[in-house]
Amino acid sequence: MDPFLQAAIDQAKKSLDEGGIPIGSVLVRDNKIIARGHNKRVQEANPILHGEMDCLNNAGRIGSYKNTVIYSTLMPCYMCAGTIVQFNIPKVIVGESRTFPGAREFMESHGVEVIDVDDPTCIQMMEQFIHDKPELWNEDIGEL
């Protein structure tokens, strides 16, 4: 297991333990985690606190993002993908996109390298969550 993806999974589990949506993210520079985050939409009643957004917020002002990699347990949505493109993050490593296809083509069309590792842990975690809390999931992806 990639240790950075594992760190993102740990963040996703933290969100689930808090009653939130199990999506986690880490930002890596020079082979070190510089920020962690997880989906906090439910916990903080904030519609834009997706895992990637929380992670980038936790990174603070780091200057250039051009030499970073962002890991996410789930393919980023258009909001998060737009932020990745805006910040010129060159690479996204994703746990899975089976449960949510996200905005892969959008990121790739803007020069972002997207690697989907199709991780069984990420898939199982999201499938279980979607099964257990479909109303919360549909709210998160705007399909209520």
Side-chain angles (χ1 to χ4, degrees):
M1 168 68 74
D2 180 319
F4 301 129
L5 182 58
Q6 183 59 58
I9 291 169
D10 293 344
Q11 286 294 305
K13 290 178 179 177
K14 182 176 181 180
S15 182
L16 188 61
D17 290 346
E18 294 171 353
I21 298 163
I23 303 168
S25 183
V26 297
L27 186 65
V28 175
R29 176 190 277 161
D30 298 326
N31 232 14
K32 293 180 186 175
I33 296 173
I34 61 171
R36 302 168 194 265
H38 58 276
N39 189 300
K40 293 181 181 173
R41 278 187 358 87
V42 174
Q43 300 92 310
E44 296 190 17
N46 184 330
I48 64 168
L49 267 184
H50 287 196
E52 300 89 346
M53 302 298 272
D54 184 49
C55 179
L56 292 168
N57 186 55
N58 291 336
R61 294 182 62 203
I62 65 167
S64 175
Y65 292 81
K66 290 181 181 178
N67 60 349
T68 63
V69 176
I70 192 162
Y71 285 74
S72 181
T73 57
L74 186 65
M75 186 65 70
C77 70
Y78 280 94
M79 176 180 67
C80 296
T83 304
I84 289 164
V85 168
Q86 179 68 33
F87 287 4
N88 293 309
I89 297 172
K91 187 175 191 177
V92 179
I93 298 179
V94 178
E96 68 104 353
S97 63
R98 289 186 191 197
T99 61
F100 182 73
R104 179 180 191 144
E105 290 178 8
F106 171 79
M107 290 185 287
E108 290 176 335
S109 75
H110 286 85
V112 177
E113 179 184 3
V114 180
I115 299 171
D116 183 347
V117 299
D118 202 34
D119 179 76
T121 300
C122 293
I123 295 165
Q124 188 279 328
M125 187 168 40
M126 283 309 301
E127 285 178 344
Q128 189 65 53
F129 178 79
I130 292 166
H131 176 267
D132 293 346
K133 298 191 177 181
E135 69 292 338
L136 197 53
W137 174 242
N138 287 330
E139 177 189 332
D140 191 58
I141 61 172
E143 292 191 8
L144 268 182

